Amino acid sequence: MANTILVTGGTGYIGGEVIDLLLGQGKTVHTTVRNIAKSEARLRARWPDAGANNDGRLKVFQADLENDAGWEEACAGCDAVAHIASPFPLAVPKHEDELIVPAREGALRAVKFAHAAGIKRVVLTSSAAAIAYGQPVEKTHFTKDDWTPLDGLPVAPYAKSKTVAEAEARKWVAVNAPDMVFCSINPVAVFGPIAGDDLSTSVEVVKKLLDGTIPLTPNMGVGVIDVRDVAAAHVAALLAPDDTVRDGRFPMQQKYMWLREMAASLRESVPEYAAKAPKRNMPDFLVKLLAPFVAEMNTLKSELGKTRDVEGTHTAQTLGLTYITAEQSLEDTARSLVAHGVLKP
Ligand code: NAP
């Protein structure tokens, strides 16, 4: 069983939660950050008992997804890798390659450097975006066997980046490292408690639903899963017997909710913030009308009325999880935003 594990992207929402669980189980964790001067102190402050430098149980390495430097050192001495780092911005980039190139290069570096270091287990954080996009509106339910097609309907850059990264990493392993146990975790939008005020794009949605930024909900939905379950899935996939996870694809969703349902749930569970939470949908024609002038509306336009309900029970059963309910996860996100001073009274 793995005792020393590389978690890429230790500064991130999911990466931090995975490190938390692994350190709590007594593991030694290597983590990569893009800028060690900027990030190491923050990581050490979060886990003060894991050592003040790389002599302790938390070792921090600088490694960018787009550069070989630091990867060999980060992998040295590890038994398994959770490759979590990948760009996940709120805004749509000017060019899709701003996301596709680092996502693909990072995923390939993770499996190549792991293989070169003799590591036999890699868990890749992919996404439901690699499963449920680019399909006709009639297709509303998705499973681990679905892939976002890249040769048909238009696919947003983020979904493309996750699809390309997962597909290419899988292919590389199959051809070059057939004895490596590789699997992916494919979460829908991730919510739940935050550790700091640097918000992941998914958590921004809850903030915006409660701070008045979204006065009317666009007619679109989001799959909900809790960050604590996503982290637990990574840890289970890192430590499970080979045959349980080999070549696995683990979509994670507790519930698919329309934004108006999310707002209603938050109004009920966090009543002190109910006043600014939207009560009505924005008419589709208004989203379309604003699309040429407001970048966010332009992104939302193609999502109107679409259902992307992703089957998550196979993952829960295989990895031994009982998902936190979507409503609880949303409430915990909101309360955590308040506790961190992100959401003001
Ligand atoms: P996050 O908080 O924004 O974390 C992203 C992490 O990736 C950060 O540690 C970031 O480092 C790192 N990163 C980005 N570009 C990098 C680069 N060029 N080189 C090195 N590191 C880089 O996002 P998150 O929500 O935790 O997402 C983590 C993973 O989960 C991503 O692969 C994302 O696609 C996937 N995912 C997220 C969700 C969700 O709803 N949150 C859903 C499905 C899948 P810096 O701190 O230096 O920026």
Side-chain angles (χ1 to χ4, degrees):
M1 182 173 285
N3 280 317
T4 302
I5 294 158
L6 169 61
V7 176
T8 66
T11 53
Y13 183 41
I14 297 171
E17 202 68 20
V18 172
I19 293 175
D20 215 34
L21 281 188
L22 290 172
L23 289 175
Q25 292 192 12
K27 306 292 182 192
T28 293
V29 175
H30 291 199
T31 192
T32 59
V33 297
R34 233 191 298 205
N35 183 336
I36 203 159
K38 194 176 124 207
S39 304
E40 185 173 7
R42 183 151 59 97
L43 297 186
R44 301 261 175 233
R46 181 166 175 189
W47 297 287
D49 297 338
N53 52 47
N54 277 5
D55 295 334
R57 275 203 301 127
L58 177 65
K59 302 181 200 305
V60 184
F61 301 86
Q62 181 164 304
D64 195 286
L65 299 174
E66 297 188 66
N67 191 312
D68 282 346
W71 282 87
E72 191 182 337
E73 293 81 350
C75 285
C78 291
D79 316 303
V81 174
H83 177 57
I84 301 178
S86 201
F88 183 34
L90 192 55
V92 178
K94 283 204 179 76
H95 194 284
E96 62 181 21
D97 280 349
E98 288 175 39
L99 303 188
I100 295 171
V101 172
R104 181 184 58 219
E105 288 201 5
L108 287 172
R109 280 199 170 85
V111 290
K112 286 179 186 176
F113 278 95
H115 182 55
I119 296 169
K120 294 275 183 284
R121 174 80 55 105
V122 175
V123 176
L124 173 79
T125 315
S126 184
S127 169
I131 291 179
Y133 284 73
Q135 303 278 3
V137 69
E138 297 77 29
K139 183 163 169 64
T140 55
H141 287 75
F142 299 85
T143 71
K144 64 183 173 53
D145 300 320
D146 288 304
W147 276 86
T148 293
L150 297 180
D151 53 358
L153 295 168
V155 173
Y158 173 71
K160 229 184 227 186
S161 79
K162 297 306 285 181
T163 308
V164 168
E166 186 192 329
E168 294 209 10
R170 279 183 185 279
K171 195 165 115 197
W172 192 92
V173 171
V175 172
N176 300 285
D179 59 342
M180 178 184 276
V181 176
F182 175 92
C183 68
S184 65
I185 307 286
N186 296 62
V188 293
V190 180
F191 301 95
I194 56 170
D197 55 10
D198 189 10
L199 303 189
S200 176
T201 294
S202 46
V203 172
E204 286 275 357
V205 175
V206 174
K207 176 177 176 282
K208 285 172 188 254
L209 282 172
L210 293 175
D211 70 4
T213 313
I214 305 180
L216 298 167
T217 44
N219 179 31
M220 60 174 283
V222 178
V224 177
I225 188 74
D226 194 277
V227 68
R228 292 161 287 189
D229 287 330
V230 175
H234 280 77
V235 173
L238 285 163
L239 304 179
D242 289 358
D243 290 343
T244 306
V245 295
R246 190 189 298 280
D247 296 332
R249 201 162 187 239
F250 297 110
M252 299 190 74
Q253 177 186 279
Q254 198 278 323
K255 187 177 188 180
Y256 189 81
M257 294 176 94
W258 293 94
L259 280 185
R260 69 173 174 278
E261 293 174 326
M262 289 173 70
S265 172
L266 284 163
R267 275 202 308 278
E268 205 176 302
S269 61
V270 204
E272 61 276 32
Y273 286 86
K276 289 185 182 165
K279 292 189 180 60
R280 285 192 300 277
N281 261 355
M282 178 179 281
D284 289 355
F285 81 86
L286 196 55
V287 177
K288 289 175 188 163
L289 198 72
L290 292 171
F293 314 105
V294 183
E296 278 172 351
M297 295 298 161
N298 201 27
T299 314
L300 297 178
K301 192 179 62 174
S302 58
E303 290 299 305
L304 295 174
K306 276 192 185 154
T307 301
R308 303 183 198 280
D309 195 0
V310 176
E311 176 59 54
T313 48
H314 152 82
T315 300
Q317 283 161 2
T318 310
L319 299 181
L321 309 166
T322 304
Y323 293 147
I324 295 164
T325 65
E327 291 78 5
Q328 186 66 56
S329 188
L330 292 172
E331 176 180 348
D332 292 349
T333 314
R335 300 225 172 270
S336 178
L337 286 167
V338 175
H340 282 87
V342 178
L343 208 52
K344 310 281 183 229

